[in-house]
DNA sequence: GTCTATATTACGATAGAC
DNA sequence: GTCTATCGTAATATAGAC
């Protein structure tokens, strides 16, 4: 059949990525079929192959876009020299980003094992670049005596896991808004590096 | 064909669970076929259905066994009244358990979305029971003034995420042993609830 | 209790019309 | 650029022999 009236390659490609993201986040990459993705885009399965040579390439495209976006956003943050301020900014940034893009974040760490070796290595490199940023802040704060840290590599992973965890339980419209979550996590992270956090008053639990 | 010489139902059932666990942890539930599982057990795919009516029931069986095992192990821990000691014990327990059973832990939170509604609800209930245990400790410590906590529910999830994160990066034979990891995490968790942790000396990073 | 064989359905990917 | 149709393969699950 001829081109559908009003169809547009660029639009369709975006649509495919958008719908695949939602489906992968919901059911998992392996459990989603090309037919399902096409169905959500209101096209036929064959048409997907105009944009992506394989199903794998859709997943790779999504994860690469996410990692690049995350790193760009991080690099676009104002530079801060003082490790304490840097750690606060990083925490706020991470929490906000992970709350704002739950599906992207979710597949970025749930679907890693479904990547073939080469794409896997590429994505892992970008992840490590992100982790290195936090590790740098911790090392700096440890060196100048601001932070009390037993082990920087372990503490780096612990902080990232703690923060990324919001992705699994936070939902808009719940008891706490994004700003409140941010404040709580900034305090949690400051505590982890041995700084006394200013307690939030009134306690957030009492507001709710 | 007749029964294979030396075959034994109970043994085979255990074997199936063991091999399925490894495969699911490695490739993901949806990406593993019944034939693959059977192949690892050196039986034919049809024989699996003597033990499990569906592929789903294997996953459910694994997750249920894990959650029950986790909760039993937790309940078998010596009771401690003091919230500070209780939090230390809980942290040690969690870290050790999560390092000792990486595959079980991994599928327990990676494959939740592949459970059908009823099994899903059952597993979630058990997860929440586990979370409630930690939340109870935090509330108690907050009430008696031992802990400084902005928000108990959020802090509960933050601590669990932080600790469970070891599952994604810790591997035996690395720079740090289980005991060292335990000590580091106990300090991290104590810090999170506003307690000053005794710094580990000499710093673990310097030993390595 | 396990085998072989198979029913049925669905998958990823491709070909060719328009 | 999207369609319909289909190729080749593999999935879950079942049936019946031994």
């Amino acid at each position: 059949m001829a081109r559908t009236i009003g169809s547009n390659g660029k639009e369709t490609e975006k649509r495919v990525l958008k719908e695949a993201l939602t489906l992968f986040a919901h059911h998992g990459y392996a459990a989603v079929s090309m037919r399902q993705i096409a169905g959500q885009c209101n096209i036929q399965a064959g048409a997907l192959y105009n944009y992506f040579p394989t199903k794998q390439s859709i997943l790779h495209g999504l994860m690469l876009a996410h990692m690049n976006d995350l790193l760009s956003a991080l690099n676009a943050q104002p530079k801060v020299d003082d490790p304490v301020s840097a750690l606060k900014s990083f925490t706020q940034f991470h929490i906000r980003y992970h709350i704002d893009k739950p599906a992207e974040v979710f597949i970025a760490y749930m679907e890693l094992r479904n990547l073939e070796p080469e794409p896997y290595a590429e994505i892992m490199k970008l992840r490590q670049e992100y982790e290195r940023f936090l590790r740098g802040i911790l090392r700096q704060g440890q060196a100048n005596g601001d932070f009390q840290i037993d082990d920087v590599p372990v503490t780096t992973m612990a902080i990232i896991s703690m923060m990324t965890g919001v992705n699994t339980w936070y939902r808009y419209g719940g008891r706490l808004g994004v700003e409140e979550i941010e404040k709580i996590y900034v305090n949690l992270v400051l505590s982890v590096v041995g700084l006394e956090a200013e307690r939030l008053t009134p306690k957030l639990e009492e507001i709710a």
Side-chain angles (χ1 to χ4, degrees), chain A:
Chain A
M1 207 207 251
R3 174 182 298 196
T4 301
I5 312 269
S7 76
N8 173 314
K10 279 275 165 257
E11 284 304 311
T12 305
E13 182 170 352
K14 276 192 214 164
R15 181 77 189 275
V16 170
L17 288 171
K18 176 174 174 285
E19 301 297 342
L21 175 68
T22 307
L23 285 168
F24 290 168
H26 230 91
H27 308 294
Y29 170 75
V32 172
S33 71
M34 293 296 265
R35 283 167 177 79
Q36 271 178 279
I37 299 171
Q40 286 294 316
C41 301
N42 292 117
I43 58 173
Q44 296 304 310
L48 291 173
Y49 292 85
N50 287 316
Y51 306 99
F52 302 94
T54 60
K55 183 185 170 190
Q56 167 83 197
S57 70
I58 300 179
L59 179 62
H60 182 216
L62 284 172
M63 294 182 75
L64 191 57
H66 165 64
M67 288 311 302
N68 283 332
D69 192 61
L70 176 68
L71 286 167
S72 300
L74 179 64
N75 288 322
Q77 291 279 105
K79 303 290 168 216
V80 182
D81 271 344
D82 162 46
V84 177
S85 308
L87 187 58
K88 283 186 193 173
S89 305
F90 180 81
T91 302
Q92 270 171 351
F93 168 79
H94 186 98
I95 294 294
R96 184 164 292 255
Y97 195 97
H98 281 62
I99 283 180
D100 279 351
K101 310 226 177 211
E104 285 86 344
V105 166
F106 194 63
I107 70 156
Y109 82 108
M110 294 290 269
E111 303 298 354
L112 271 173
R113 62 180 162 185
N114 286 306
L115 288 174
E116 280 156 23
E118 215 168 311
Y120 177 84
E122 184 188 23
I123 301 297
M124 285 305 285
K125 217 177 136 186
L126 296 172
R127 280 174 70 96
Q128 283 157 16
E129 192 177 324
Y130 188 76
E131 290 164 12
R132 200 178 315 127
F133 188 90
L134 173 58
R135 191 154 49 244
I137 297 174
L138 297 189
R139 284 216 186 287
Q140 212 185 327
Q142 186 188 47
N144 78 0
D146 281 346
F147 301 161
Q148 299 297 318
I149 297 174
D150 286 324
D151 188 281
V152 168
V154 173
T155 305
T156 302
M157 297 312 284
I159 289 176
I160 287 183
S161 296
M162 180 171 79
M163 295 190 302
T164 303
V166 291
N167 185 250
T168 65
W169 60 263
Y170 184 80
R171 295 295 172 266
Y172 281 104
R175 180 169 59 91
L176 300 169
V178 182
E179 290 81 9
E180 285 148 342
I181 298 286
E182 272 180 27
K183 283 183 199 155
I184 295 172
Y185 271 88
V186 167
N187 271 358
L188 289 168
V189 171
L190 290 178
S191 301
V192 162
V193 298
L195 289 167
E196 195 153 347
E198 275 180 54
R199 256 36 265 186
L200 299 174
T201 49
K203 281 199 187 65
L204 290 167
E205 287 186 85
E206 291 161 5
I207 306 174

